[in-house]
Amino acid sequence: MYTPAQADRGRDLYQARCAGCHGARLEGGSAPALAGVEFLRSWGAHALTVDDLYFVIRTTMPADSGTRLSRREYVDVVTYLLQRNGYPAGITELTADRKALRAVKLVPPAESVATRRVARPMAPARNPSTSRPTQSELDHAAEAEGWLTPEHDYAGTKYSPLSRITRGNVKALRTECVYQVGDVASFQAMPVVYNGVMYLTTPRLTIALDARTCRLIWRREWREEGTERRPRNRGVAVKAGRVVRGTTDGQLIALDAATGEQLWTRQVADPSAGETFTMPPLIYDSLVVIGPALSERGISGWVGAFRLADGEPVWRFETIQNRSTWQGSDSVFVGGASVWTPPTLDPATGTLYVATANPVPDFAGDVRLGDNLYSNSLLALDVRTGSLRWFHQMVPHDTHDWDFTHAGPLFRTSILGSLRNAVATAGKDGVLRVLDRQTHEVLYQTPVTTRDNVDAPVTTAGTRACPGFWGGVQWNGPAYHPGLRMLFVNGGGLVQHLQGRHRVPPHSRPQPSRRHFRE
């Protein structure tokens, strides 16, 4: 299909023009992976050809609007992708001849390393060397000096009561220490700090640092086996001497908080079906709550609870239900409603609040008519059983990839003269909403970024709409200041042209802004 020398040229071009987004090893970063089972499944499952791959790369890349490559250079990049995915080299160079390109289907090579999956043996769960933080400490995280959960506390306030930094001394802040994690991909970790130790993650690393000096306490690398999805991870949860996280290849793992030694691991998601973990878990009592991300891979979303002691499944709530709200052709696979940001919890009522993502296909609403429940929704679940207590769908029948990203923060305050138990919600549609947790009514809603042409249908001719699929409120959501009774929301807007059933790759990122609102 190509020569080794041609693939070498393609490698050099890839490293210079593509690696910044797709990863030095084609493992993915801010853009999807281009090697491994994910790549082979996406292209091979639909009998696509090398001509299809060449066309997409030539017409959309590089995404930075820089100098375009020549046809020969684009073909060279394609050969490097083929080489890295196990397609054998030959003695004749691949050319841009469409007849030749169409003749080669992207069927996964039988001996490709990327297609082999090694089953990871289940070892007996081990006991941790410490027993803290306790449930009582987590229950009172809002008053703690540390940062005990990724969003500070179960209510997801993202607010610290510490007050030594003031307007008067903030100008004196200086860098105290730095630790280089060694990962060049998009860094979205939400650190947890307990008893002076900071726990943070990269897609494959879990790290414990002295929070005062950045001294490394331990560092544990997860080596994925077989299928790996988009390499991204947003953090851990800690309790009873265990540091728990999800992995890119669908594992849930627990590490010893003091030593980093592995206590247990369990395969709980199916990466061959497109599932991966990016969100930090939530731990309550004996349960670890987590759900898979990546609606765009056509997964059927869910959120589940697993036993903290050993990862044993306890309950699972499927977020694709009410099939009467998904009307369309049986020949088109529909799904989505994944979970990729932390849930919030009201321990007093045992209610877990979960935000679900967009339906797929993202923009092809004509093949999934109806509201598409429970995509783009706020779910209120019983934390011990996973049963649905109530829900509110924010964006029915979404055709703009407007994931609903945050179910929180939770707060209690006086709104329009009445004392309310409220939950704030936000998502990529760029709207902040506040709902009453008892009556379930929307108390108020307000845009937090530019909203333009939001009701226009997506067409093959192109539709201009804002926010685009990189806009609105993404993984780092609203915060609540109880003293000021004020919500702070970070939002960004980016106009995108959405064409037919395909995404137009973003050529720039939204410029974030931060707005605040009194109730």
Side-chain angles (χ1 to χ4, degrees):
M1 298 174 64
Y2 62 91
T3 67
Q6 188 177 20
D8 288 344
R9 295 198 306 266
R11 177 199 61 212
D12 294 341
L13 285 165
Y14 176 87
Q15 294 299 331
R17 303 301 300 274
C18 313
C21 293
H22 292 279
R25 300 183 300 156
L26 289 79
E27 75 277 16
S30 60
L34 298 176
V37 172
E38 177 177 358
F39 176 84
L40 293 171
R41 176 179 177 269
S42 298
W43 289 88
H46 303 289
L48 298 175
T49 69
V50 174
D51 182 57
D52 296 311
L53 178 61
Y54 169 72
F55 173 79
V56 170
I57 292 176
R58 181 173 61 81
T59 57
T60 65
M61 296 291 119
D64 58 4
S65 298
T67 305
R68 310 299 293 180
L69 307 180
S70 68
R71 286 180 176 269
R72 173 182 167 177
E73 287 174 322
Y74 278 117
V75 172
D76 288 348
V77 172
V78 168
T79 64
Y80 176 56
L81 268 60
L82 295 174
Q83 181 190 65
R84 290 284 283 108
N85 282 282
Y87 295 90
I91 60 174
T92 304
E93 287 202 352
L94 188 68
T95 71
D97 177 70
R98 297 201 67 187
K99 183 177 180 180
L101 295 175
R102 287 174 175 173
V104 184
K105 293 187 180 298
L106 288 169
V107 178
E111 297 302 319
S112 170
V113 173
T115 62
R116 293 200 292 268
R117 178 168 181 78
V118 180
R120 190 184 299 271
M122 286 289 296
R126 298 164 54 194
N127 293 322
S129 57
T130 64
S131 59
R132 299 179 66 183
T134 65
Q135 184 59 55
S136 177
E137 289 177 294
L138 292 175
D139 288 340
H140 296 89
E143 298 87 40
E145 289 192 356
W147 197 273
L148 273 58
T149 77
E151 297 197 317
H152 189 262
D153 45 59
Y154 283 140
T157 64
K158 304 182 182 72
Y159 170 78
S160 171
L162 302 182
S163 58
R164 290 179 62 183
I165 299 175
T166 67
R167 292 182 180 181
N169 63 23
V170 67
K171 62 184 179 183
L173 288 175
R174 67 183 186 277
T175 301
E176 188 70 21
C177 62
V178 174
Y179 180 82
Q180 298 287 352
V181 299
D183 194 286
V184 297
S186 178
F187 191 75
Q188 299 180 357
M190 307 163 75
V192 167
V193 180
Y194 175 71
N195 198 27
V197 179
M198 176 184 292
Y199 301 96
L200 67 154
T201 63
T202 72
R204 299 178 186 86
L205 293 174
T206 310
I207 300 168
L209 302 174
D210 185 313
R212 300 173 181 83
T213 66
C214 297
R215 176 183 62 85
L216 179 66
I217 298 174
W218 54 260
R219 176 181 172 119
R220 180 83 178 190
E221 182 174 8
W222 176 261
R223 296 188 179 276
E224 67 283 352
E225 296 186 359
T227 308
E228 181 188 29
R229 293 295 161 189
R230 182 175 299 175
R232 191 161 297 158
N233 189 273
R234 299 187 176 94
V236 303
V238 297
K239 188 192 172 187
R242 298 173 177 88
V243 177
V244 184
R245 63 165 291 177
T247 71
T248 54
D249 56 347
Q251 302 273 344
L252 190 61
I253 63 174
L255 306 177
D256 189 294
T259 67
E261 293 300 312
Q262 186 170 293
L263 301 176
W264 54 258
T265 176
R266 182 175 289 272
Q267 184 81 52
V268 300
D270 183 3
S272 67
E275 298 176 352
T276 188
F277 290 130
T278 62
M279 64 174 283
L282 180 145
I283 300 178
Y284 176 68
D285 199 8
S286 61
L287 301 176
V288 180
V289 179
I290 196 170
L294 223 56
S295 289
E296 282 70 24
R297 296 304 174 191
I299 73 169
S300 183
W302 55 268
V303 59
F306 303 86
R307 200 160 59 191
L308 176 61
D310 54 13
E312 185 72 22
V314 178
W315 59 256
R316 175 164 163 157
F317 180 84
E318 303 289 344
T319 59
I320 297 292
Q321 295 190 27
N322 297 79
R323 281 295 178 178
S324 61
T325 69
W326 297 78
Q327 301 173 29
S329 171
D330 292 337
S331 64
V332 178
F333 181 82
V334 297
S338 65
V339 183
W340 51 283
T341 59
T344 53
L345 173 70
D346 180 357
T349 63
T351 305
L352 182 77
Y353 295 93
V354 179
T356 61
N358 61 289
V360 293
D362 295 38
F363 310 116
D366 58 320
V367 302
R368 47 173 177 80
L369 301 177
D371 287 345
N372 307 146
L373 293 173
Y374 294 106
S375 67
N376 291 15
S377 296
L378 168 69
L379 305 178
L381 307 178
D382 185 310
V383 70
R384 298 196 180 279
T385 66
S387 59
L388 180 67
R389 290 182 170 176
W390 61 274
F391 78 96
H392 184 89
Q393 189 174 39
M394 306 300 164
V395 185
H397 189 66
D398 175 25
T399 57
H400 289 71
D401 194 4
W402 281 341
D403 306 49
F404 177 55
T405 55
H406 285 274
L410 313 179
F411 56 97
R412 180 175 173 82
T413 191
S414 178
I415 298 179
L416 300 177
S418 299
L419 196 61
R420 303 277 196 159
N421 291 320
V423 52
T425 67
K428 286 165 57 180
D429 67 338
V431 177
L432 170 74
R433 299 173 179 86
V434 172
L435 283 73
D436 188 300
R437 284 181 274 151
Q438 292 174 298
T439 66
H440 316 155
E441 64 182 307
V442 177
L443 299 174
Y444 61 85
Q445 58 185 31
T446 185
V448 296
T449 189
T450 301
R451 280 174 55 84
D452 183 34
N453 215 26
V454 295
D455 296 321
V458 176
T459 69
T460 55
T463 300
R464 180 186 184 278
C466 187
F469 52 78
W470 288 110
V473 180
Q474 297 226 13
W475 60 272
N476 43 359
Y480 179 69
H481 190 308
L484 298 177
R485 294 194 303 115
M486 190 175 289
L487 286 163
F488 293 80
V489 185
N490 51 320
L494 179 66
V495 176
Q496 289 288 350
H497 284 79
L498 311 180
Q499 296 179 310
R501 301 181 182 180
H502 304 281
R503 294 186 174 192
V504 177
H507 295 293
S508 61
R509 298 291 186 197
Q511 297 301 312
S513 60
R514 198 161 185 90
R515 305 186 182 188
H516 57 270
F517 305 90
R518 291 191 184 276
E519 295 111 10

